[in-house]
Amino acid sequence: MTELKMKTLCLPSDGGDQAPNLRQSQQRDIKRRFIEFYRTRVFYLPEIDPEDCIWDDDTAWRLFEMFFGSKGLDEFKVELMQLKTKKKFEQLSSKICSRSDGLTIDAIHRMFITKWAVQKPSSYKEIQSLLQDVKKLI
């Protein structure tokens, strides 16, 4: 997992050196408004990578079997299990489409998204709720 380092957030205020109490009061107000903005306007997807939400091992195995039968499936499972989800999509695309460019990966994504939307797992419901919250802000 990548560790994120945050730099200091500078929230400028008026007042200069001549009015330290005003500047402190203004800083508190600015920080409160920033926190309120952040609390009501910043949303996160339920997973670190969006692909994690839609990936489904069974769907991948079925796609593989559609093209190659069960021959090589166990080796392919072992190969995919060692990869992060983005790479899994790339490998699956490479295997069944003989290439892994944007178009083929997009096609694979669409298959997985369709299955994900039909199944409506918890990640689907979380994202649906986030989108409804964002829609209320518009």
Side-chain angles (χ1 to χ4, degrees), residues 1-2 44-55 83-89 109 116 123 127:
M1 184 183 296
T2 305
Y44 296 95
L45 292 174
E47 300 290 339
I48 291 175
D49 292 321
E51 287 87 351
D52 291 342
C53 293
I54 63 171
W55 178 262
L83 301 174
K84 293 188 177 197
T85 311
K86 286 181 186 280
K87 285 289 186 185
K88 288 180 182 183
F89 277 108
H109 280 154
W116 174 77
S123 61
I127 291 172

Side-chain angles (χ1 to χ4, degrees), residues 32-45 130-138:
R32 277 190 202 109
R33 286 188 292 142
F34 176 79
I35 291 169
E36 181 60 22
F37 173 85
Y38 185 86
R39 189 180 66 76
T40 60
R41 301 286 196 283
V42 176
F43 303 95
Y44 296 95
L45 292 174
L130 287 173
L131 291 173
Q132 288 171 350
D133 290 345
V134 170
K135 186 177 176 182
K136 290 175 191 174
L137 298 172
I138 298 175

Side-chain angles (χ1 to χ4, degrees), residues 112-130:
F112 278 76
I113 289 169
T114 300
K115 172 111 188 214
W116 174 77
V118 168
Q119 289 181 333
K120 292 182 174 45
S122 62
S123 61
Y124 177 91
K125 293 171 185 162
E126 288 178 55
I127 291 172
Q128 185 179 38
S129 176
L130 287 173

Side-chain angles (χ1 to χ4, degrees), residues 54-68 73 76-77 79-80 83-101 104-105 107-112:
I54 63 171
W55 178 262
D56 178 63
D57 286 333
D58 291 335
T59 302
W61 311 153
R62 275 191 243 116
L63 278 170
F64 183 93
E65 285 184 309
M66 282 174 46
F67 287 87
F68 305 105
L73 179 59
F76 188 61
K77 285 181 180 182
E79 180 184 336
L80 287 188
L83 301 174
K84 293 188 177 197
T85 311
K86 286 181 186 280
K87 285 289 186 185
K88 288 180 182 183
F89 277 108
E90 186 180 315
Q91 279 300 107
L92 183 60
S93 173
S94 179
K95 196 66 137 176
I96 65 175
C97 301
S98 299
R99 61 184 223 232
S100 60
D101 58 18
T104 57
I105 293 172
I108 302 292
H109 280 154
R110 289 175 189 269
M111 286 185 233
F112 278 76

